[in-house]
């Protein structure tokens, strides 16, 4: 191999994104579980996990900039590196949103106002979108990226149906407004997490074939 | 591929099915490419790929090599430069060339510039002086040498000598300028000056440049052609070649995986 050190640096960058994806998945799963179960201890550990993602983001940025400054990457390598930078920003935002969900645990008074069936479903889809988008990145699979982005429609539909339901519930019973508005935040955060997963899919497609697509 | 890339009305040089042999070695194979007017076109590829051989075909520099045989057409403004009735001296006036190592003549700075116009018949002293000033100004050298025009050109720095060679080429009013690795012997500051100059010159001239420095090709050229083993592998918009090449071989070369 002509540029062995360079190849190692590229591999290191890729591994950091995959690791960041794994940690973000864990944070979203834990954040959702903590919120649904109103588990304060799990919410606390979830919030703490965000530091790991922040550290990874800094590491991705550092190694991507080092590659650009020292190796003058071109073509597919350049697309890969710029995509990694963008994906790390999406992953960092997704983790922050999951942390925001965990932070809402302590704001819920006297238990949930309704069974969180659709909200849980939104969380499950978001986690699976993130997992698949990272797998598409790992394997340079454009078709998987496109399929994964389509899942966002399901999250959007659930978002609107839960949103309507909560508006109606609040109109009928003002005593639930605090809990309901916090739940509105949660579904909004999940909807945003889905959008960021779509961004990752877009980055994967650009990375693989140079095509700029809008999947959101 | 190339037909669609450059509109017919924008073509300065049209190369059709160019083949070149050095003895029995087939050095250029069926090259067809259109070079656009008033643009910078870079030729890249690993050593021995044929890019220098190719650029030397554009003003018949390979005629000087006895074992060299050429087939195909090189049309400059529609005229095949390999036709029997072509005056090679006149052709090289229209298609100038700047080489890898600066090669000033061992004479004064002013005489280096006026040499070409003089052998092409210009005798008027005032005219020669104004050609000299104009050429040196266009080559971004006038301000540095205007007070020592009678001094030897060999006393200039490497970067200044190369700009002098560019000025010498400009003095005979060419249409096309060929650069064969013009910066490979220069330091980064001199290289930057030549690159800026090339980008300015394209407003008036058609530029073709051979370079081993891919960042240079990316920085200064509008179009890039990638050669390998005597074949033209890919030719396209520079941004496309360096962001998203269509051929794996191009990708492997420009990302440094071979060559």
């Amino acid at each position: 191999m002509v540029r062995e050190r360079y190849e190692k640096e590229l591999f290191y960058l890729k591994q950091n994104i995959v690791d960041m994806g794994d940690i973000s998945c864990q944070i979203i799963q834990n954040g959702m579980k903590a919120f649904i179960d109103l588990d304060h201890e799990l919410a606390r550990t979830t919030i703490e996990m965000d530091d790991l993602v922040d550290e990874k983001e800094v590491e991705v940025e550092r190694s991507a900039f080092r590659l650009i400054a020292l190796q003058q990457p071109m073509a597919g390598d350049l697309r890969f590196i710029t995509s990694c930078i963008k994906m790390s920003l999406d992953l960092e935002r997704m983790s922050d949103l999951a942390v925001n969900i965990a932070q809402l645990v302590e704001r819920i008074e006297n238990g949930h106002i309704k069974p969180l069936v659709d909200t849980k479903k939104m969380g499950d889809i978001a986690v699976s979108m993130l997992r698949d988008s990272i797998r598409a990145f790992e394997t340079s699979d454009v078709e998987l990226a496109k399929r994964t982005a389509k899942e966002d429609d399901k999250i959007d539909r659930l978002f609107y149906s839960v949103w309507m339901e909560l508006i109606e519930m609040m109109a009928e019973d003002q005593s639930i407004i605090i809990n309901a508005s916090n739940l509105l935040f949660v579904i909004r955060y999940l909807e945003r997490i889905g959008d960021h997963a779509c961004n990752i899919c877009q980055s994967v497609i650009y990375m693989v074939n140079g095509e700029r697509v809008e999947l959101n | 591929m190339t037909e669609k890339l450059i509109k017919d009305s924008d073509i300065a040089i049209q190369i059709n099915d160019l083949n070149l042999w050095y003895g029995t070695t087939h050095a250029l194979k069926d090259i067809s490419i259109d070079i656009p007017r008033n643009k910078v076109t870079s030729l890249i590829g690993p050593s021995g790929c044929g890019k220098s051989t190719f650029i030397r075909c554009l003003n018949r520099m390979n005629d000087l090599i006895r074992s060299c045989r050429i087939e195909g057409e090189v049309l400059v403004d529609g005229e095949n430069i390999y036709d029997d009735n072509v005056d090679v001296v006149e052709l090289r006036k229209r298609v100038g060339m700047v080489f890898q190592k600066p090669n000033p003549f061992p004479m004064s700075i002013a005489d280096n510039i006026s040499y070409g116009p003089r052998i092409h018949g210009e005798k008027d002293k005032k005219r020669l002086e104004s050609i000299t000033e104009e050429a040196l100004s266009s080559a971004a050298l006038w301000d540095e040498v205007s007070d020592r025009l009678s001094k030897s050109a060999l006393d200039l720095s490497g970067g200044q000598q190369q700009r002098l060679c560019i000025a010498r080429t400009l003095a005979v009013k060419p249409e096309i300028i060929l650069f064969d690795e013009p910066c490979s012997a220069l330091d980064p500051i001199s290289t930057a000056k030549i690159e800026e100059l090339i980008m300015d010159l394209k407003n008036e001239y058609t530029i073709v440049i051979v370079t081993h420095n891919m960042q240079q090709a990316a920085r200064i050229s509008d179009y890039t052609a990638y050669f390998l083993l005597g074949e033209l592998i890919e030719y396209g918009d520079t941004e496309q070649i360096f962001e998203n090449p269509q051929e794996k071989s191009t990708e492997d070369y420009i990302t440094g995986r071979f060559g």
Side-chain angles (χ1 to χ4, degrees), chain B residues 65-99:
Chain B
I65 300 167
R66 196 172 293 169
S67 64
C68 177
R69 183 163 63 85
I70 296 169
E71 285 177 7
E73 285 183 328
V74 176
L75 306 174
V76 174
D77 288 333
E79 183 194 5
N80 186 8
I81 64 169
Y82 284 94
D83 280 350
D84 291 342
N85 59 354
V86 168
D87 177 348
V88 177
V89 174
E90 190 58 30
L91 169 70
R92 290 187 191 142
K93 181 170 171 279
R94 288 170 67 197
V95 187
M97 192 158 195
V98 176
F99 297 89

Side-chain angles (χ1 to χ4, degrees), chain B residues 8-241:
Chain B
D8 281 354
S9 56
D10 294 338
I11 298 171
I13 317 173
Q14 184 171 33
I15 294 98
N16 296 324
D17 301 321
L18 186 73
N19 282 278
L20 182 146
W21 291 263
Y22 292 123
T24 54
T25 306
H26 196 175
L28 291 177
K29 299 168 188 168
D30 296 321
I31 310 291
S32 293
I33 180 172
D34 297 335
I35 308 282
R37 194 184 316 282
N38 294 115
K39 299 281 181 202
V40 179
T41 302
S42 283
L43 312 178
I44 61 168
S47 297
C49 70
K51 58 191 186 299
S52 284
T53 297
F54 173 77
I55 202 173
R56 292 163 69 91
C57 288
L58 305 183
N59 68 347
R60 291 185 53 172
M61 291 293 283
N62 291 315
D63 286 15
L64 306 170
I65 300 167
R66 196 172 293 169
S67 64
C68 177
R69 183 163 63 85
I70 296 169
E71 285 177 7
E73 285 183 328
V74 176
L75 306 174
V76 174
D77 288 333
E79 183 194 5
N80 186 8
I81 64 169
Y82 284 94
D83 280 350
D84 291 342
N85 59 354
V86 168
D87 177 348
V88 177
V89 174
E90 190 58 30
L91 169 70
R92 290 187 191 142
K93 181 170 171 279
R94 288 170 67 197
V95 187
M97 192 158 195
V98 176
F99 297 89
Q100 189 172 358
K101 275 184 74 176
N103 53 352
F105 301 140
M107 49 179 76
S108 73
I109 292 168
D111 287 346
N112 260 275
I113 307 300
S114 59
Y115 183 83
R118 270 194 277 124
I119 63 163
H120 282 101
E122 183 59 65
K123 291 194 176 70
D124 186 279
K125 200 162 171 274
K126 281 260 175 286
R127 284 272 313 136
L128 286 170
E129 278 174 11
S130 79
I131 289 170
T132 301
E133 180 174 347
E134 199 183 319
L136 287 168
S137 300
S138 299
L141 192 57
W142 176 253
D143 291 346
E144 292 167 50
V145 301
S146 60
D147 58 346
R148 48 175 170 150
L149 292 174
S150 57
K151 294 274 169 27
S152 170
L154 301 177
D155 292 339
L156 297 173
S157 72
Q160 287 173 325
Q161 287 187 8
Q162 192 63 304
R163 277 180 285 148
L164 180 76
C165 293
I166 294 171
R168 197 173 63 191
T169 305
L170 300 178
V172 295
K173 307 260 178 239
E175 297 159 33
I176 297 159
I177 309 176
L178 311 175
F179 289 88
D180 192 357
E181 294 189 57
C183 302
S184 60
L186 304 182
D187 63 67
I189 301 290
S190 301
T191 297
K193 285 183 182 171
I194 301 278
E195 288 183 2
E196 282 296 317
L197 179 56
I198 288 173
M199 287 187 279
D200 288 340
L201 289 175
K202 76 173 178 183
N203 295 320
E204 290 183 57
Y205 307 91
T206 296
I207 312 258
V208 186
I209 176 169
V210 165
T211 178
H212 267 294
N213 180 335
M214 275 175 294
Q215 280 70 39
Q216 181 171 69
R219 278 194 297 270
I220 68 172
S221 59
D222 302 290
Y223 294 91
T224 298
Y226 169 61
F227 285 76
L228 180 66
L229 299 170
E231 289 181 55
L232 174 64
I233 303 296
E234 188 166 355
Y235 178 44
D237 194 89
T238 294
E239 208 174 304
Q240 175 256 309
I241 293 282

Side-chain angles (χ1 to χ4, degrees), chain A residues 1-3 6-7 10 71-79 206 208-212, chain B residues 214-216 218 239-246 250-251 253-259:
Chain A
M1 199 182 292
V2 183
R3 303 175 75 182
Y6 176 55
E7 297 285 353
L10 290 173
Q71 302 284 354
Q72 290 86 44
M74 293 279 192
D77 292 347
L78 185 59
R79 298 201 307 273
Y206 174 69
V208 176
N209 59 22
E211 194 186 343
R212 289 182 173 87
Chain B
M214 275 175 294
Q215 280 70 39
Q216 181 171 69
E239 208 174 304
Q240 175 256 309
I241 293 282
F242 286 100
E243 188 187 346
N244 192 15
Q246 300 303 299
T250 316
E251 170 102 24
Y253 178 68
I254 64 176
T255 55
R257 288 184 169 78
F258 85 91

Side-chain angles (χ1 to χ4, degrees), chain A residues 21-125:
Chain A
D22 287 345
I23 301 167
S24 299
C25 258
Q26 197 64 52
I27 292 178
I28 300 167
Q29 270 175 326
N30 290 358
M32 278 306 290
K33 187 164 169 39
F35 183 78
I36 290 166
D37 298 345
L38 297 177
D39 182 337
H40 290 257
E41 179 55 23
L42 184 57
R44 192 183 57 76
T45 55
T46 304
I47 293 163
E48 282 172 3
M49 272 180 86
D50 192 41
D51 290 346
L52 297 174
V53 173
D54 293 344
E55 281 166 24
K56 284 280 176 198
E57 191 207 359
V58 171
E59 192 47 36
V60 165
E61 188 179 295
R62 192 176 287 146
S63 73
F65 285 15
R66 190 169 52 222
L67 277 160
I68 291 169
L70 304 183
Q71 302 284 354
Q72 290 86 44
M74 293 279 192
D77 292 347
L78 185 59
R79 298 201 307 273
F80 166 76
I81 293 166
T82 53
S83 298
C84 285
I85 296 171
K86 287 179 77 174
M87 283 189 279
S88 76
L89 295 175
D90 283 312
L91 290 166
E92 193 271 337
R93 287 301 303 140
M94 290 164 110
S95 302
D96 282 351
L97 290 163
V99 164
N100 292 152
I101 293 172
Q103 284 166 336
L104 288 174
V105 170
E106 63 181 32
R107 302 240 196 114
I108 300 297
E109 297 164 353
N110 307 319
H112 290 302
I113 52 169
K114 70 184 210 70
L116 303 181
V117 178
D118 285 347
T119 309
K120 182 178 181 310
K121 214 180 275 175
M122 284 177 77
D124 291 343
I125 298 169

